[in-house]
Amino acid sequence: MSSSTDLGRPDPDPTVAPTRDGRPVSDRGDTVCVIGAGASGLTAVKNLREAGFGVDCYERETGVGGAWNWRHDRSPVYASTHLISSRPFTQFPDFPMPDDWPDYPHHSQLLSYFERYADHFDLRQHVWFGTEVVRVEPVEGDRWDVTTRSTGGYGPERTSRYAAVVLANGHNWSPKLPRYEGLEQFRGEVMHASSYKDPAQLRGKRVLVVGAGNTGCDIAVEAAQQASRCWHATRRGYWYAPKYVFGRPADQVNDTLLALRVPLRVRQWLYHWTLRLTVGDLTRFGLPKPDHRVYETHPIANSQLVYYVGHGEITPVPDIARFNDRTVELTDGREIDPDLVVFATGYLPRFEFLEGKVLGDADGSGRPRLWLNAFTAGHPTLAVVGLVQPDSGIFPISHWQSVLFARLLTLRTTHPDRAAAFGRRVAAGLGERYSAKVKDSTRHWFEVGHADYLRALQRALHDLEGK
């Protein structure tokens, strides 16, 4: 459906009692609501339809692609964005990317991939474009009232009752902004990386990039080429991994080691050995020494940062102590004078239409408490798809998460005892981690080792099916 006013959609059947505030509710029967038509939302629609469910998908933008459609207001994508996981480990298992595509496709290719995916599986007819979700409320019988309106707040609100809900609204769109003394008085330009789109924004400027995630490193590399000066501020040391190792994409080499069940300690030794053979000790460039072992957090996939640091085009500096009128004071006492500060400090998950307690966010931190990063206790007809940061591609994970949820919904009718057992497993497994060891910061909340995580999904599928 091309819009929320599509006349081909069945008229609502106002047979359900109104909500507490008197809003009429249309009953959508056994239909499942999917929120978001990005990669995770599209695969959820596809897998639910293949399981025999009716699906209404609400997308606030006017096209598919989610974060990978850089025309969308909330997209974090910039002109040079490419995948950081290689093509074979990123594609959906039942819809391969073209063989003649590069190892790390450009964001425009990813968008065309999602558009072809939607067309191949005939998914657009199930999507209400230009429609945002205002509220999602649990009601009796494990059902959900979903209130929508036209994006931007135009037009009346409309509430529909669904058998289940899939949250696939993404977690890389609500900027996480740091607080520093004096920031409000700083007279230079300040922006979050979410507003960065093109290297022209850096050209000829003295740029300070804050943050050492993949985006921060990408912007620092572009500043090295376009800006008159580039500083790169980090709070701690990180491990930097090239995109190619032994002539192959690095994630493919790592996956081979995982498939061979090579112990973590051995993989860590191999990483350090490779590092010594190539760039050596990075602290000699001024980069801080990591405070953790490699693979305890995901290495930063960037082949160019060390190159530009080694050529003096990027100056590594420690964290910011405070902002002055026209300068920035660093924690080591130095002062620098950028005229543009880019905060590449990441994003926070936001489910603005849902009370935090539904997802187990008891302390208001914004961090859901889930099993498999997808299921919450007490709400067996609710699932989150795509709330992971794997060390490989995310799309296969989203695919299998939605397959698992579709099978769970089917078994609620055909084998309620198995569905109930699954619910007990959810309650017992809340907060499980699927990585060797992860630092407890917002940046690492959703990190998973893809091999460990996919094995956990496979076990959950087998248990659900009684195998």
Side-chain angles (χ1 to χ4, degrees):
M1 297 177 185
S2 60
S3 72
S4 58
T5 57
D6 194 307
L7 297 178
R9 187 177 196 79
D11 289 333
D13 178 15
T15 58
V16 180
T19 60
R20 294 175 186 172
D21 55 6
R23 285 177 281 119
V25 181
S26 73
D27 189 357
R28 298 293 294 145
D30 293 331
T31 301
V32 179
C33 172
V34 175
I35 302 174
S40 297
L42 289 175
T43 196
V45 173
K46 194 270 298 184
N47 287 315
L48 286 162
R49 289 293 301 149
E50 287 184 350
F53 293 96
V55 180
D56 291 344
C57 176
Y58 296 109
E59 169 54 55
R60 71 186 308 277
E61 301 288 353
T62 57
V64 301
W68 289 97
N69 191 330
W70 80 328
R71 293 185 292 270
H72 291 176
D73 289 343
R74 292 180 172 180
S75 172
V77 165
Y78 38 94
S80 63
T81 301
H82 288 72
L83 283 177
I84 59 171
S85 55
S86 66
R87 173 170 47 86
F89 287 90
T90 306
Q91 62 196 9
F92 291 117
D94 53 358
F95 194 75
M97 295 181 185
D99 290 337
D100 60 353
W101 276 17
D103 291 329
Y104 298 100
H106 186 256
H107 70 80
S108 60
Q109 293 174 300
L110 265 293
L111 177 57
S112 70
Y113 174 70
F114 296 132
E115 290 173 337
R116 291 202 298 271
Y117 182 87
D119 292 338
H120 179 78
F121 293 107
D122 197 20
L123 304 180
R124 295 179 195 268
Q125 64 171 312
H126 306 290
V127 183
W128 283 49
F129 292 106
T131 304
E132 62 183 356
V133 174
V134 180
R135 283 181 299 278
V136 175
E137 303 161 296
V139 293
E140 188 177 356
D142 293 326
R143 294 170 66 80
W144 300 87
D145 283 353
V146 179
T147 301
T148 60
R149 67 185 177 196
S150 295
T151 300
Y154 303 105
E157 294 184 355
R158 172 178 171 176
T159 302
S160 302
R161 185 158 295 175
Y162 290 97
V165 172
V166 173
L167 308 180
N169 59 311
H171 60 278
N172 287 325
W173 59 267
S174 180
K176 176 188 174 186
L177 290 167
R179 296 178 181 178
Y180 289 105
E181 180 184 344
L183 179 58
E184 295 79 9
Q185 287 73 46
F186 180 62
R187 295 194 179 186
E189 182 182 356
V190 176
M191 63 184 291
H192 187 269
S194 59
S195 300
Y196 176 75
K197 296 299 176 185
D198 191 89
Q201 294 171 266
L202 311 173
R203 195 164 297 148
K205 297 179 180 179
R206 301 168 64 82
V207 178
L208 169 62
V209 180
V210 182
N214 290 296
T215 297
C217 291
D218 281 351
I219 296 175
V221 165
E222 296 198 347
Q225 301 170 66
Q226 300 291 335
S228 62
R229 182 74 190 272
C230 174
W231 298 274
H232 188 201
T234 59
R235 291 184 175 179
R236 60 178 67 92
Y238 294 89
W239 297 104
Y240 298 94
K243 282 192 166 184
Y244 287 92
V245 179
F246 305 124
R248 295 175 57 198
D251 61 348
Q252 296 180 24
V253 175
N254 186 51
D255 193 74
T256 299
L257 297 176
L258 290 171
L260 295 172
R261 301 295 180 99
V262 175
L264 174 62
R265 294 288 188 183
V266 177
R267 289 191 292 118
Q268 289 172 330
W269 180 86
L270 286 170
Y271 180 95
H272 287 294
W273 177 75
T274 304
L275 196 67
R276 284 197 301 270
L277 286 179
T278 53
V279 295
D281 184 3
L282 296 182
T283 60
R284 67 189 178 91
F285 295 119
L287 291 166
K289 183 179 180 179
D291 60 356
H292 56 282
R293 292 178 177 271
V294 66
Y295 299 128
E296 289 183 355
T297 65
H298 296 168
I300 307 301
N302 193 298
S303 299
Q304 296 180 289
L305 183 83
V306 175
Y307 173 88
Y308 281 105
V309 170
H311 285 72
E313 302 296 335
I314 298 174
T315 303
V317 295
D319 193 19
I320 296 169
R322 64 185 57 82
F323 283 82
N324 300 315
D325 186 34
R326 296 188 181 277
T327 62
V328 176
E329 185 177 336
L330 305 173
T331 54
D332 63 0
R334 280 183 288 171
E335 281 196 18
I336 57 177
D337 57 344
D339 44 34
L340 170 62
V341 178
V342 182
F343 286 122
T345 45
Y347 300 84
L348 290 172
R350 282 189 64 194
F351 303 93
E352 52 196 344
F353 42 74
L354 186 68
E355 286 190 19
K357 64 181 181 181
V358 174
L359 293 177
D361 177 21
D363 59 2
S365 65
R367 180 179 187 174
R369 193 160 182 264
L370 307 170
W371 182 55
L372 290 173
N373 287 45
F375 302 99
T376 185
H379 297 289
T381 55
L382 178 69
V384 185
V385 173
L387 191 63
V388 289
Q389 291 177 210
D391 55 354
S392 191
I394 188 175
F395 309 148
I397 288 177
S398 296
H399 168 86
W400 289 112
Q401 284 178 327
S402 57
V403 167
L404 177 60
F405 187 53
R407 292 186 183 175
L408 171 63
L409 294 180
T410 299
L411 289 178
R412 281 174 56 81
T413 300
T414 61
H415 293 83
D417 54 330
R418 293 185 195 169
F422 185 89
R424 292 191 292 272
R425 180 68 185 89
V426 170
L430 292 177
E432 281 184 0
R433 304 302 292 264
Y434 309 94
S435 192
K437 180 181 177 182
V438 179
K439 295 183 74 66
D440 194 25
S441 68
T442 57
R443 179 170 177 262
H444 306 293
W445 276 355
F446 309 119
E447 283 193 359
V448 300
H450 77 284
D452 291 339
Y453 185 84
L454 286 172
R455 278 194 287 267
L457 274 180
Q458 185 179 40
R459 286 195 298 270
L461 277 166
H462 286 174
D463 291 346
L464 197 58
E465 294 172 352
K467 293 183 179 179

